[in-house]
Amino acid sequence: MAQMTRDAVPESERWDLTHLFPSAEAWEAERQAVQAALPDIEAFRGTLGQSPQQLLAALSLADQIDERLERLFAYAMLERDEDTRNTAAIQRYEQVMALVVAAGRATAWIQPELLTLTDEQLRGFLDAEPGLEPFRRLIERTIRQRPHVRSAEVEEILAETAEMAQTASNVFTFFDNADIRFGTVIDSDGTPVELTKARYLRLLERRDRRVRRDAYEMLHAPYHAHRNTLGALLTASNQRDAFFARVRRYNSALEAALKPEDIPLEVYTNLIDTVHRYLPLLHRYVSLRKRVLGLDEVHMYDLYVPLVEMPERTFSYEEATETVVAAFAPLGERYVNAVREGLRSRWVDVHETVGKRSGGYNLGVYGVHPYVLLNWGGTLNDVFTLAHELGHAMHSYFSAANQPHPTSSYTIFVAEVASTFNERLLTAHLLERSTDPRERAYLVNDALESIRTTIFRQTMFAEFELLTHQVVEANEGLTPERLMTEYTRLATEYHGPDFAADEQLAVEWSRVPHFYRAFYVYQYATGLIAAMALASAVLSGDEEARDRYLTFLAAGSSKDSLDLLRDAGVDLTTAAPYEAAFATMAEYLDTLEAALSETQG
């Protein structure tokens, strides 16, 4: 089974980049226009304290350039990700990244100059000029970041490093998506299947353990072969994080990632500690897998096969969209209609094609619309991915529709709430319409998998990420051998006594792209924990809870992340949402064990 080429995909199932720019020539004209506009910012240097109106003019110009840059960046990145072998698209991406660096250099003096004014002066300007209201959050954040903002000269030098700082991530992206091929797996029925990352998870769901093991070993082979190079890349990425933390006078890279959004470090460390207390639930689940699958020991490739055997079902993309739209009904007509319009308007690039970036993501573009990348395979997991990415898309859509540009982008901390919220709606919808006890058990198993992969697995990633950064910050040497040893230790500790490590497991860290985005992954876990609490309230029929949630979607970054979630109805600084999530997992386990006993009986 060969991969599809892009020209074989129906136009309706490819995103439409002409909504951003009608042509590459139009993109290039705008790039040059933005480049020419950058010197205009310099005219405001030294004048921000003259009056509130002068400050408004300077911030407005910088924001307009930033918005135009977002569109330029979106076009270049989306076009590159359609086919990572497209040299013209790669060149445009490199050009826009250079322009982003130039814009950062041109505006680097603004924050230091703002901080030459006292807090009282800045707040007085906000009170005196209503036009500054969209920039209130920026100014308040600047005040809060006063200890970590350097001189204008240092800030300009830091801005110069932005492009270089992405080198490790960019090298990994091209290696991971464009340079490696995995080979061919012989499926259970004897059919040769060219292994891709999208097909990998489908093969891990096969009942035939030989197929699962072959896919697992084949996927990890190139990463194992290049473990020294990949270890050097990850080390370089962590060194970058440590460098910026030191320069900005943070105590650690973790603090540098969390403090600007006013996230207490305890939210991160308490998540790890709490998950450790509930590891017996995961051990229980792994032991259940061992018993039901009849295994001597459980390997990583045994964790994805459904415990409840169902006839293999493939979802068409059209069927999947109808299913997720129906699942979103508890959020009301406005939400559902917005989803339908997005699907009709070619927001989504659906199919896996040769050279296309793997995985899935949403990219919101202010003043245009969100763009969603998928690699459709037709499995139930793909249906959940569609619901997940549409959650991100609707968050982007409603925030852009209700916020001015400066506060339209939601923070990373809340980014995974809307996506995993939609997964909870989809699970509830599928369970509600199912009358087959076996199918219901299958869906409960799937819900358990979501908790395993999103709360436990991402927290394990978060602990590994914290450890690797601490090693770099202590100048202890982050060798490939240490990366493999520490990752294996954590994976074994998380999965319990019935889990077996192998050489492929030891290099699993080397294929995780999120490790190049410092301290991102823990937010998958906190996001699902928050989403479980919020979705439970909405699914109960509480209209006030639904309205609070829709208000949250429209709030962008108009408040601190924890405050936005508190307004929506969940407080992640308390134990309650965590305990509720693990109580739900325990209930799922009881339900699944009872259903399996009944089936076997």
Side-chain angles (χ1 to χ4, degrees), residues 464-526:
F464 177 75
E465 193 173 11
L466 179 60
L467 183 152
T468 58
H469 279 83
Q470 288 172 339
V471 170
V472 167
E473 289 165 345
N475 297 313
E476 293 179 6
L478 192 59
T479 64
E481 290 74 18
R482 182 157 189 181
L483 287 165
M484 291 189 290
T485 299
E486 296 291 358
Y487 191 89
T488 300
R489 177 185 64 79
L490 283 175
T492 303
E493 181 180 0
Y494 269 70
H495 293 93
D498 291 318
F499 181 79
D502 48 44
E503 71 173 18
Q504 289 79 24
L505 175 72
V507 296
E508 190 178 53
W509 55 267
S510 69
R511 65 179 186 85
V512 180
H514 282 108
F515 286 156
Y516 292 87
R517 188 173 183 178
F519 303 107
Y520 182 96
V521 294
Y522 86 100
Q523 294 157 121
Y524 284 109
T526 56

Side-chain angles (χ1 to χ4, degrees), residues 241-256:
D241 302 334
F243 166 77
F244 283 114
R246 287 195 306 272
V247 171
R248 293 206 175 278
R249 303 182 178 126
Y250 289 103
N251 294 315
S252 66
L254 177 64
E255 185 182 55

Side-chain angles (χ1 to χ4, degrees), residues 255-271:
E255 185 182 55
L258 271 60
K259 192 171 182 180
E261 298 303 331
D262 204 29
I263 305 296
L265 268 63
E266 291 73 21
V267 169
Y268 195 100
T269 56
N270 287 347
L271 170 68

Side-chain angles (χ1 to χ4, degrees), residues 18-308:
T18 64
H19 297 170
L20 291 163
F21 293 96
S23 64
E25 291 74 22
W27 181 92
E28 174 60 19
E30 174 66 353
R31 183 183 73 85
Q32 293 185 19
V34 171
Q35 181 79 56
L38 293 183
D40 296 343
I41 299 173
E42 182 66 22
F44 288 93
R45 189 194 286 258
T47 71
L48 299 188
Q50 288 181 358
S51 69
Q53 293 72 35
Q54 186 73 355
L55 176 59
L56 174 60
L59 295 182
S60 296
L61 176 59
D63 183 64
Q64 289 162 13
I65 288 175
D66 185 56
E67 184 178 346
R68 294 168 71 184
L69 272 173
E70 284 179 15
R71 294 196 190 191
L72 286 166
F73 173 82
Y75 183 93
M77 189 186 87
L78 296 171
E79 186 188 31
R80 181 199 67 174
D81 288 354
E82 290 175 357
D83 186 348
T84 56
R85 306 164 305 164
N86 183 337
T87 55
I90 292 169
Q91 182 180 25
R92 276 188 281 277
Y93 181 80
E94 291 174 348
Q95 287 175 322
V96 77
M97 288 306 299
L99 185 56
V100 167
V101 171
R105 184 169 58 246
T107 58
W109 59 269
I110 292 178
Q111 194 174 42
E113 186 168 321
L114 278 176
L115 291 177
T116 63
L117 308 178
T118 66
D119 293 355
E120 292 72 22
Q121 284 177 295
L122 289 169
R123 293 191 176 104
F125 278 13
L126 284 169
D127 293 339
E129 174 52 70
L132 282 171
E133 189 59 32
F135 301 101
R136 177 177 293 276
R137 286 284 296 159
L138 182 151
I139 292 171
E140 290 175 344
R141 280 168 54 92
T142 298
I143 292 171
R144 190 163 67 201
Q145 291 299 104
R146 189 180 287 274
H148 306 290
V149 176
R150 305 299 300 272
S151 68
E153 182 181 10
V154 171
E155 289 293 336
E156 288 174 14
I157 292 172
L158 290 174
E160 290 275 11
T161 70
E163 189 173 19
M164 179 177 61
Q166 294 303 311
T167 299
S169 176
N170 289 337
V171 171
F172 173 80
T173 295
F174 287 116
F175 172 84
D176 192 42
N177 294 285
D179 291 347
I180 57 175
R181 290 291 180 270
F182 301 107
T184 300
V185 174
I186 304 302
D187 209 345
S188 305
D189 61 0
T191 303
V193 178
E194 182 185 354
L195 182 62
T196 66
K197 279 175 276 190
R199 292 170 183 165
Y200 172 65
L201 287 177
R202 299 202 297 276
L203 292 170
L204 287 191
E205 294 178 355
R206 294 289 193 265
R207 307 299 294 184
D208 186 340
R209 196 182 195 207
R210 190 272 308 164
V211 174
R212 301 199 303 268
R213 183 179 60 249
D214 287 355
Y216 175 75
E217 292 177 353
M218 189 172 291
L219 183 96
H220 285 87
Y223 299 98
H224 190 272
H226 294 89
R227 61 192 180 278
N228 292 316
T229 298
L230 292 166
L233 286 176
L234 185 57
T235 298
S237 181
N238 286 6
Q239 289 170 337
R240 172 205 63 189
D241 302 334
F243 166 77
F244 283 114
R246 287 195 306 272
V247 171
R248 293 206 175 278
R249 303 182 178 126
Y250 289 103
N251 294 315
S252 66
L254 177 64
E255 185 182 55
L258 271 60
K259 192 171 182 180
E261 298 303 331
D262 204 29
I263 305 296
L265 268 63
E266 291 73 21
V267 169
Y268 195 100
T269 56
N270 287 347
L271 170 68
I272 294 172
D273 293 342
T274 303
V275 166
H276 271 268
R277 289 200 302 274
Y278 285 94
L279 283 179
L281 282 175
L282 182 56
H283 298 172
R284 176 183 165 192
Y285 179 53
V286 172
S287 296
L288 178 63
R289 283 191 159 274
K290 175 183 175 182
R291 184 171 71 253
V292 172
L293 296 175
L295 305 174
D296 293 332
E297 57 187 14
V298 178
H299 286 254
M300 186 62 74
Y301 53 79
D302 298 316
L303 290 177
Y304 294 85
V305 56
L307 292 178
V308 182

Side-chain angles (χ1 to χ4, degrees), residues 297-408:
E297 57 187 14
V298 178
H299 286 254
M300 186 62 74
Y301 53 79
D302 298 316
L303 290 177
Y304 294 85
V305 56
L307 292 178
V308 182
E309 191 169 5
M310 294 285 293
E312 187 171 346
R313 181 180 179 187
T314 300
F315 294 81
S316 69
Y317 179 64
E318 182 180 6
E319 181 183 9
T321 58
E322 292 172 356
T323 299
V324 298
V325 168
F328 299 159
L331 290 175
E333 288 187 8
R334 184 183 174 210
Y335 187 96
V336 168
N337 289 340
V339 172
R340 289 189 185 280
E341 178 58 28
L343 293 170
R344 281 195 300 266
S345 300
R346 295 178 59 194
W347 293 5
V348 184
D349 203 78
V350 180
H351 296 283
E352 182 182 30
T353 53
V354 177
K356 184 178 175 181
R357 175 173 170 161
S358 63
Y361 64 69
N362 162 73
L363 180 67
V365 186
Y366 192 82
V368 185
H369 58 70
Y371 283 86
V372 173
L373 178 138
L374 300 175
N375 279 275
W376 188 255
T379 67
L380 181 62
N381 184 65
D382 289 312
V383 182
F384 273 92
T385 298
L386 174 62
H388 180 104
E389 298 303 341
L390 287 175
H392 285 309
M394 289 302 102
H395 198 175
S396 299
Y397 173 81
F398 284 114
S399 287
N402 289 277
Q403 295 293 324
H405 181 255
T407 56
S408 63

